Amino acid sequence: MQELSSSTRARTIALMESETFDVLVIGGGVTGAGVALDAAARGYSVALVEKGDFASGTSSKSTKLVHGGIRYLPNFDFALVREALVERGLLLRNAPFLVHPIGFVLPIYKGDRHPVGLPFTTPWGIGLGVVMDIGLWFYDALAGRLNVKRHRRLSRQEVIQLAPALVTENLKEGFIYYDGQTNDARLTMAILRTAAQYDAAIANYAEVTSFVSENGKVCGAHVHDNLGDQSFIARARHIVNATGVFAEEVEALTEAGSLVHVEPSKGVHLVFARADVKIGDDAIVLPETDDKRVLFLVPWQSRAVFGTTDTGSGDLDHPTATQDDIAYLLHYLNHYLSVHLTADDIVSVYAGYRPLLRSRSAAHSTARLSRTHAVLQNSSGLVTIVGGKLTTYRRMAQDTVDVLSRRDGSKSRSHPTRNLPLSGSAGWPAARRDLEVKGTALGLSAQTISHLGESYGSLALPLLSLIESDASLGARLIEDLPYIRAEVVYACRHEMAMTPYDVLARRTSIILEDRDRGAGIVDDVAALMAQELDWSPEQQKAMIESYRAALGRQLPV
């Protein structure tokens, strides 16, 4: 098994340089991680490189949902919804500690014309409740035996009881339906760690700068180690481009013409304290916007996430929310909720890009582009997987490796990841009980114990061993959040965290949940990491300054 740790990263890169792999995956987001796992589980030798940190792009900037995509039903995108609902069910089964069912309250107001983006309406809105009920029955039916729970109709009073912050004027009735919720960055890490268990060689901060070709076919890539400032060649029989919004840029490095057409669409989310939006355990669907979008207010850990927008692109490496984005979201939040929030109530803001397949027509809106994925091969032999969504990552990976399998002349239709538990899932029910007993004995709060279970699953038990050997690691990093100092050490030793940003933004979600975005504890985090990674005082200082500079770049413009 390849060890996914910071200390072995140099050895991993040396291995990539010395061996020829069956598959080289470019991209360490959820899709690339999925491809690496699928290929490794089928017996391929696999290497994966990521130019930044794992899940540093789209895969940590989602609404944190594992869902079928109710907004695609009005567009009659039934195949996509069915695919996503099946994948939702598989994820609930294969990562039970990390993916959880969650209810969505959908209110219906007098005067609504296009709830959840309906492309049509009824005279004076009469009968829209019936239309929504039929649509939700269809949503449940498409999930089949993997359905979470059947939707049900809610009376006006039941809607108010489940979502007391909703404006009650003109509220008629509502529905509650069910989907899944996850921590997107932790999900990506779980997939990568599972791939490592199958001997996949994995490295972050390793950027492909060009390809090596023989007889017009790609057979390797020039890779620059952005931390060690050195370059090497990674060779493989198959090369997969799983870089999301950067797919066109990567394909352009080949000598062949581009087949990939990606339309990046920016999604912005606002994060609030749960108490400020008066949200319980169920999410709320804001039923209608002027541009027929669907907005979700979702309880997530200690906070609530609200979004998302669907606008054009900018700097793909540094997605940033604009004041207009924030004003748009606040407008609809205050329209449907009685809380009257301002920008001062926002805990944090984050933005990311969806890699939508580009329309061949010049006249289109990104909100109307499909989330369907496509596996493409250009004449150089480069395989590119593009499109899709967080929920369907496993199916995207499966379809990609099927292409490689057909290339190799294999007739096997084995798809091992359908029933493959992700790292942290093994023995989870029993591990949960052990975690509660041992965590309590170590003096951890119930909130921290719950957080550790939902983030690491059965792998939280080795994390507790760190506290047993050093009690100071059981202390919280921030008083009102459940994260503890042991997680910093664990991230270095087992999750290839190389910078404070890796820890604060992706191994944990402190950058989203803390009003100071982790600025108040970055010194402590860097000190812990310096001991693990043998940083000099100058390196430690540079890491702290780099983190603060990154926070500055994320301020709304």
Side-chain angles (χ1 to χ4, degrees):
M1 182 181 78
Q2 300 290 343
E3 177 63 29
L4 195 60
S5 71
S6 54
S7 61
T8 61
R9 179 178 173 276
R11 291 199 296 274
T12 301
I13 287 176
L15 182 68
M16 290 182 182
E17 188 173 13
S18 63
E19 291 194 7
T20 296
F21 292 83
D22 293 325
V23 182
L24 170 64
V25 181
I26 308 170
V30 71
T31 304
V35 172
L37 173 56
D38 196 294
R42 295 198 208 187
Y44 284 100
S45 61
V46 177
L48 178 146
V49 292
E50 158 61 44
K51 73 173 185 177
D53 185 32
F54 308 123
S56 55
T58 307
S59 297
S60 59
K61 306 299 195 312
S62 75
T63 318
K64 323 298 182 187
L65 298 179
V66 174
H67 63 138
I70 192 171
R71 78 178 181 93
Y72 302 115
L73 276 182
N75 297 330
F76 306 107
D77 224 339
F78 301 138
L80 173 63
V81 174
R82 164 65 179 168
E83 179 179 272
L85 288 171
V86 168
E87 293 304 317
R88 179 194 70 183
L90 294 178
L91 263 172
L92 283 163
R93 186 176 69 194
N94 293 335
F97 71 96
L98 195 53
V99 183
H100 314 278
I102 183 172
F104 286 77
V105 177
L106 171 58
I108 302 295
Y109 286 87
K110 180 180 179 180
D112 283 350
R113 292 292 182 266
H114 301 277
V116 297
L118 276 175
F120 59 87
T121 190
T122 60
W124 302 285
I126 297 173
L128 274 180
V130 175
V131 172
M132 293 305 303
D133 198 15
I134 293 171
L136 289 170
W137 276 114
F138 197 44
Y139 194 68
D140 290 339
L142 284 172
R145 60 184 178 83
L146 292 173
N147 194 30
V148 176
K149 188 177 179 180
R150 287 183 180 179
H151 84 283
R152 62 186 176 91
R153 202 161 191 156
L154 301 174
S155 67
R156 181 178 187 274
Q157 195 56 42
E158 286 175 317
V159 173
I160 295 171
Q161 185 177 0
L162 290 174
L166 281 171
V167 168
T168 57
E169 185 178 358
N170 293 322
L171 176 64
K172 294 165 57 179
E173 58 177 340
F175 298 88
I176 184 168
Y177 69 93
Y178 298 87
D179 262 317
Q181 182 178 42
T182 192
N183 180 322
D184 46 10
R186 295 297 319 170
L187 175 62
T188 303
M189 182 54 59
I191 300 165
L192 286 167
R193 293 197 65 178
T194 312
Q197 291 172 2
Y198 283 89
D199 287 328
I202 297 168
N204 52 5
Y205 296 100
E207 181 175 6
V208 169
T209 55
S210 62
F211 288 106
V212 178
S213 298
E214 292 179 2
N215 301 317
K217 301 294 184 180
V218 292
C219 60
H222 292 276
V223 183
H224 186 73
D225 176 0
N226 288 329
L227 295 180
D229 194 23
Q230 59 182 354
S231 296
F232 63 95
I233 294 176
R235 296 186 178 274
R237 295 191 300 110
H238 304 292
I239 301 181
V240 176
N241 172 16
T243 55
V245 293
F246 300 99
E248 282 193 57
E249 293 181 16
V250 170
E251 193 183 33
L253 297 175
T254 69
E255 298 173 359
S258 176
L259 295 176
V260 179
H261 298 278
V262 179
E263 183 77 28
S265 170
K266 186 176 70 174
V268 172
H269 295 81
L270 309 182
V271 180
F272 297 94
R274 286 177 66 158
D276 286 348
V277 291
K278 299 179 182 177
I279 195 167
D281 294 328
D282 297 310
I284 300 172
V285 184
L286 302 195
E288 188 166 314
T289 66
D290 293 340
D291 53 356
K292 300 179 184 178
R293 282 205 55 71
V294 179
L295 299 178
F296 297 103
L297 179 63
V298 186
W300 186 66
Q301 301 176 161
S302 65
R303 307 301 188 200
V305 173
F306 180 57
T308 175
T309 61
D310 203 331
T311 55
S313 63
D315 183 350
L316 297 183
D317 283 305
H318 302 103
T320 305
T322 67
Q323 296 296 343
D324 286 344
D325 293 328
I326 295 171
Y328 170 92
L329 291 172
L330 282 175
H331 167 73
Y332 286 108
L333 188 68
N334 287 320
H335 178 74
Y336 281 105
L337 268 62
S338 58
V339 290
H340 304 297
L341 300 175
T342 70
D344 292 337
D345 297 301
I346 298 171
V347 174
S348 65
V349 180
Y350 65 95
Y353 289 110
R354 309 173 189 87
L356 304 184
L357 290 175
R358 181 183 298 169
S359 169
R360 295 286 181 177
S361 167
H364 65 266
S365 161
T366 56
R368 298 300 178 194
L369 294 186
S370 175
R371 300 303 298 274
T372 303
H373 65 269
V375 184
L376 305 171
Q377 304 178 71
N378 70 16
S379 60
S380 74
L382 180 71
V383 175
T384 296
I385 172 67
V386 69
K389 50 191 281 190
L390 177 75
T391 306
T392 59
Y393 86 87
R394 192 210 63 84
R395 179 57 187 269
M396 295 166 67
Q398 174 182 296
D399 290 350
T400 303
V401 182
D402 279 349
V403 169
L404 308 185
S405 183
R406 287 194 294 269
R407 274 187 180 180
D408 288 337
S410 172
K411 296 182 180 179
S412 172
R413 301 299 295 173
S414 172
H415 295 140
T417 58
R418 279 188 62 90
N419 300 301
L420 180 63
L422 295 182
S423 178
S425 298
W428 170 231
R432 173 185 283 176
R433 292 190 293 272
D434 289 346
L435 175 62
E436 291 174 354
V437 171
K438 293 181 179 179
T440 301
L442 288 169
L444 300 181
S445 69
Q447 184 189 25
T448 291
I449 293 170
S450 175
H451 150 69
L452 293 177
E454 292 178 359
S455 298
Y456 304 91
S458 57
L459 296 178
L461 293 175
L463 193 148
L464 294 186
S465 299
L466 296 173
I467 305 172
E468 289 174 341
S469 60
D470 182 353
S472 70
L473 295 179
R476 290 195 182 198
L477 288 165
I478 296 172
E479 190 58 37
D480 67 338
L481 295 177
Y483 304 100
I484 56 177
R485 299 175 81 240
E487 292 180 77
V488 180
V489 175
Y490 188 87
C492 293
R493 295 183 185 179
H494 302 285
E495 298 180 342
M496 206 173 282
M498 305 302 297
T499 74
Y501 203 99
D502 299 346
V503 171
L504 293 168
R506 290 172 287 271
R507 307 306 183 274
T508 71
S509 301
I510 287 173
I511 197 170
L512 300 183
E513 297 182 67
D514 177 32
R515 289 187 181 275
D516 286 337
R517 310 292 302 270
I521 59 165
V522 65
D523 292 53
D524 187 23
V525 169
L528 286 168
M529 296 187 74
Q531 294 176 6
E532 293 295 316
L533 304 182
D534 197 25
W535 289 341
S536 67
E538 291 75 21
Q539 287 174 308
Q540 184 175 335
K541 181 181 178 182
M543 285 292 181
I544 294 169
E545 291 174 350
S546 176
Y547 182 81
R548 295 185 185 279
L551 290 185
R553 287 195 300 270
Q554 292 178 3
L555 294 174
V557 296

